């Protein structure tokens, strides 16, 4: 009996041994063998995501801000030297730079943003070699376009007289415009090289080259104006000289080893798809040209006012300060375009959307800071450009309008940057036409007629057009289907790759 009992115990013991031997050992248990205790990596908080995205944006935008400020300051330095030559010289170079150059500058800069779309998406998808092909394609299209715009400079004097500018100002501005042609011809190479390098996050070299160009320009301007006393023609020539110094610096870096992955030499592939690139570039050019020229219309209106030279000088100071500050939102336009294009090219819809939100918040904060600066230092703004008490007084009167214009124009460039990153420049061009030229200008003319000060009324109406434009762009951006944008970007990249093969 006892033998039977011990035998049963032995059988039960054997079964327990078999059972426990088949169970996983705690020492060897891993996440894949037991789903109940599988650990997931902690998701970053909203604050951490915001900080990370802000760093990525600022990594692109900060050197770009310095670059834009440095290159724009070349024109500002020139206007400052011209302002101390006389009121007529300041009025002439202000008209030439803030009206004539702004047309070609805005159009060429906008056309270059097509490169931002294509290079940004190709870089995000890892097709680095295509960036060099796109760069060469952009040189062909933009340089031919800049040649077609030369009549604006050749016939500047009669065109300015036609729109009502005083004869003396128009003649002097026409003289300056001819000597600004080298400056104009640098745009196709300057803007495309900047975007080519920016899309690869090589922004530091662009900033260094721009800083060197600005330092050279200050020195050359001082020599030409004060030592050699060449006058207004010398000041105009120094702008083109300094911009070409920057172009040669960026070109040397690109061609001689700075971009081994994206530049593999000149290629016949640059001649493939020129028409498609031109259509995208044309929409981009119209988008930015219409926006860039909008507030410059105030200078043309000032030609019909009393004390014409003083009005032109005061408005040119305001427009120059506005343009100076707008380099920051425009840098975020570029940064947003690159970030959105990179994320769409990589197939990350959520990342593109989040980059948009963070960029809008940052630029609004920047705009508010400049709004405060202009309101607090309104009496000292014009001293940088002129010593004329009448011009300083008029700038002081217009400073409140200037402050609110700057604040309003901080959101719109970022929303345009989203369109650039996703290749929707044509939509923004239509919105700009409707908002600026069908709402802002007519309302500005009406208020200019109703209010005691024509220039204040005109400016107020044009600000209303900016508000209308910003609201429409915000609605369009909020209704984006980001997954659809990802699919579009990937299809475009595949089509480009197959066509070049």
């Amino acid at each position: 009996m006892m033998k039977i009992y011990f035998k049963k115990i032995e059988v039960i013991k054997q079964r327990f041994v078999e059972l426990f031997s088949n169970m996983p050992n705690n020492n060897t248990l891993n996440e894949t063998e037991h789903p109940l205790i599988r650990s997931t990596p902690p998701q970053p908080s909203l604050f951490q995501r915001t900080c990370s995205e802000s760093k990525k944006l600022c990594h692109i935008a900060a050197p770009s801000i310095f670059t834009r400020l440095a290159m724009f300051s070349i024109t500002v330095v020139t206007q400052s030297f011209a302002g101390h030559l006389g009121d007529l010289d300041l009025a002439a170079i202000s008209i030439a730079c803030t009206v004539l150059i702004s047309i070609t500058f805005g159009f060429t800069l906008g056309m270059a943003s097509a490169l931002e779309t294509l290079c940004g998406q190709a870089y995000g998808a890892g097709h680095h070699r295509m960036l060099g092909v796109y760069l060469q394609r952009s040189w062909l299209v933009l340089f031919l376009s800049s040649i077609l715009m030369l009549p604006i400079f050749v016939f500047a004097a009669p065109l300015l007289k036609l729109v009502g500018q005083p004869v003396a100002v128009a003649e002097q501005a026409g003289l300056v415009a001819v000597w600004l042609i080298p400056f104009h011809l640098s745009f196709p190479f300057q803007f495309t090289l900047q975007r080519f390098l920016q899309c690869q996050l090589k922004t530091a070299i662009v900033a260094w080259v721009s800083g060197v160009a600005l330092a050279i320009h200050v020195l050359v301007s001082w020599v030409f104006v004060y030592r050699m006393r060449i006058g207004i023609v010398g000041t105009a020539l120094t702008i083109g000289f300094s911009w070409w110094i920057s172009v040669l610096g960026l070109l040397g870096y690109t061609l001689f080893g700075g971009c081994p992955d994206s530049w593999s030499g000149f290629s016949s592939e640059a001649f493939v798809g020129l028409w498609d690139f031109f259509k995208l570039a044309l929409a981009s050019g119209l988008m930015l040209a219409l926006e860039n020229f909008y507030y410059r219309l105030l200078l043309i209106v000032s030609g019909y006012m009393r004390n014409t030279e003083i009005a032109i000088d005061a408005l040119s100071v305001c427009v120059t300060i506005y343009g100076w500050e707008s380099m920051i939102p425009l840098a975020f336009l570029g940064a947003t375009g690159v970030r959105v294009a990179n994320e769409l090219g990589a197939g990350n819809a959520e990342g593109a959307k989040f980059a948009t939100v963070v960029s809008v918040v940052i630029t609004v904060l920047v705009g508010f800071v400049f709004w405060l600066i202009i309101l607090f230092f309104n009496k000292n703004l014009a001293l940088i450009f002129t010593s004329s008490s009448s011009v300083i007084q008029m700038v002081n009167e217009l400073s409140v309008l200037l402050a609110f214009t700057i604040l309003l124009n901080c959101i719109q460039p970022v929303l345009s940057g989203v369109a650039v990153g996703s290749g929707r420049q044509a939509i923004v061009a239509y919105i700009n036409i409707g908002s600026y030229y069908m709402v802002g200008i007519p309302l500005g003319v009406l208020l200019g007629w109703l209010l005691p000060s024509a220039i204040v009324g005109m400016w107020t109406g044009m600000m209303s057009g900016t508000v209308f434009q910003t609201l429409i762009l915000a609605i369009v951006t909020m209704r984006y289907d980001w997954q659809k944008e990802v699919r579009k970007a990937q299809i475009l990249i595949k089509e480009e790759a197959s066509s070049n093969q």
Side-chain angles (χ1 to χ4, degrees):
M1 190 72 180
M2 292 295 293
K3 288 182 180 180
I4 296 172
Y5 178 75
F6 282 115
K7 189 174 182 181
K8 288 182 178 180
I9 291 177
E10 191 66 29
V11 171
I12 293 172
K13 180 180 177 182
Q14 184 67 28
R15 287 181 179 177
F16 269 103
V17 169
E18 292 175 358
L19 176 64
F20 282 104
S21 65
N22 290 330
M23 290 185 66
N25 193 317
N26 288 336
N27 295 328
T28 61
L29 193 64
N30 57 48
E31 295 174 5
T32 59
E33 290 175 331
H34 205 297
L36 294 178
I37 62 171
R38 183 182 301 156
S39 62
T40 58
Q43 295 296 318
S45 65
L46 178 61
F47 177 76
Q48 291 174 322
R49 290 180 63 202
T50 303
C51 289
S52 175
E53 183 58 44
S54 299
K55 288 179 181 178
K56 292 176 183 177
L57 282 166
C58 290
H59 178 69
I60 304 170
S64 182
I65 289 170
F66 177 81
T67 298
R68 290 174 183 272
L69 287 174
M71 300 309 295
F72 188 78
S73 295
I74 289 176
T75 306
V76 175
V77 167
T78 301
Q79 286 182 262
S80 299
F81 277 103
H84 294 285
L85 292 174
D87 287 346
L88 179 61
D89 288 330
L90 176 59
I93 202 159
S94 297
I95 286 286
C97 289
T98 56
V99 176
L100 301 176
I101 283 293
S102 73
I103 297 172
T104 63
F105 180 97
F107 190 75
T108 313
L109 181 65
M111 292 187 79
S113 72
L115 193 67
E116 212 161 59
T117 304
L118 298 171
C119 284
Q121 292 181 359
Y123 187 80
H127 295 186
H128 295 174
R129 193 188 67 83
M130 287 303 301
L131 273 69
V133 175
Y134 291 142
L135 176 63
Q136 296 169 60
R137 200 173 293 173
S138 70
W139 285 343
L140 292 170
V141 172
L142 269 69
F143 186 71
L144 289 175
S145 300
S146 67
I147 294 295
L148 294 176
M149 288 186 277
L150 285 180
I152 294 175
F153 297 90
V154 176
F155 302 104
L159 287 173
L160 291 171
K161 292 176 186 176
L162 185 65
V163 296
Q165 293 300 310
V167 175
V169 174
E171 291 289 347
Q172 192 76 339
L175 174 65
V176 171
V178 172
W179 293 103
L180 287 175
I181 289 176
F183 177 34
H184 160 73
L185 292 177
S186 70
F187 294 163
F189 304 99
Q190 175 75 22
F191 297 149
T192 53
L193 284 165
Q194 282 185 5
R195 272 141 194 79
F196 171 75
L197 295 169
Q198 182 176 278
C199 288
Q200 303 171 71
L201 309 183
K202 296 178 182 290
T203 49
I205 182 63
V206 183
W208 275 106
V209 170
S210 302
V212 170
L214 176 59
I216 291 173
H217 180 72
V218 173
L219 177 62
V220 170
S221 296
W222 178 78
V223 170
F224 272 45
V225 176
Y226 286 113
R227 302 296 295 178
M228 299 178 65
R229 298 189 180 278
I230 294 179
I232 195 69
V233 171
T235 60
L237 282 173
T238 58
I239 305 178
F241 174 79
S242 302
W243 271 65
W244 275 103
I245 289 290
S246 174
V247 169
L248 292 175
L250 297 178
L251 189 63
Y253 177 83
T254 300
L255 299 185
F256 299 107
C259 304
D261 296 329
S262 54
W263 180 264
S264 55
F266 293 97
S267 171
S268 60
E269 294 177 29
F271 296 92
V272 178
L274 283 175
W275 177 244
D276 291 333
F277 184 90
F278 174 75
K279 288 190 292 184
L280 181 61
L282 181 64
S284 305
L286 289 173
M287 177 191 78
L288 205 56
L290 292 171
E291 178 184 340
N292 197 50
F293 184 66
Y294 184 53
Y295 283 99
R296 271 72 176 179
L297 286 173
L298 289 168
L299 282 170
I300 296 176
V301 174
S302 66
Y304 297 94
M305 297 177 63
R306 293 189 300 271
N307 299 322
T308 300
E309 287 184 15
I310 295 173
I312 291 175
D313 290 348
L315 280 169
S316 68
V317 169
C318 290
V319 170
T320 300
I321 293 171
Y322 163 72
W324 212 348
E325 186 278 337
S326 68
M327 296 299 105
I328 298 175
L330 284 175
F332 276 96
L333 183 157
T336 306
V338 170
R339 288 290 303 127
V340 169
N342 287 168
E343 296 294 344
L344 292 179
N348 186 5
E350 184 61 32
K353 181 179 179 180
F354 193 69
T356 301
V357 174
V358 173
S359 191
V360 169
V361 172
I362 291 174
T363 51
V364 169
L365 292 175
V366 169
F368 186 70
V369 169
F370 276 91
W371 179 78
L372 290 173
I373 290 172
I374 290 172
L375 289 182
F376 277 105
F377 297 99
N378 57 326
K379 295 182 180 179
N380 302 317
L381 293 174
L383 291 175
I384 305 171
F385 305 93
T386 182
S387 53
S388 172
S389 59
S390 53
V391 174
I392 293 170
Q393 178 61 31
M394 184 172 277
V395 171
N396 185 24
E397 293 171 0
L398 296 173
S399 60
V400 174
L401 281 172
L402 176 62
F404 279 97
T405 302
I406 285 174
L407 182 60
L408 286 171
N409 279 275
C410 282
I411 303 174
Q412 180 273 332
V414 173
L415 299 178
S416 296
V418 178
V420 169
S422 55
R424 287 173 167 255
Q425 290 93 325
I427 293 176
V428 182
Y430 291 130
I431 293 173
N432 286 356
I433 292 172
S435 303
Y436 289 157
Y437 299 93
M438 297 177 69
V439 176
I441 297 296
L443 192 57
V445 172
L446 178 63
L447 292 177
W449 180 67
L450 293 175
L451 296 181
S453 173
I455 201 67
V456 170
M458 185 73 180
W459 198 334
T460 304
M462 294 174 75
M463 284 174 60
S464 303
T466 303
V467 172
F468 187 73
Q469 175 218 30
T470 303
L471 289 174
I472 294 177
L473 281 175
I475 293 170
V476 170
T477 304
M478 287 188 292
R479 297 184 64 182
Y480 260 35
D481 183 344
W482 291 100
Q483 293 294 342
K484 182 179 178 181
E485 298 302 321
V486 166
R487 291 193 293 272
K488 283 172 54 181
Q490 292 176 341
I491 290 171
L492 176 63
I493 293 167
K494 288 179 181 178
E495 287 178 350
E496 283 286 345
S498 60
S499 65
N500 285 295
Q501 287 174 356

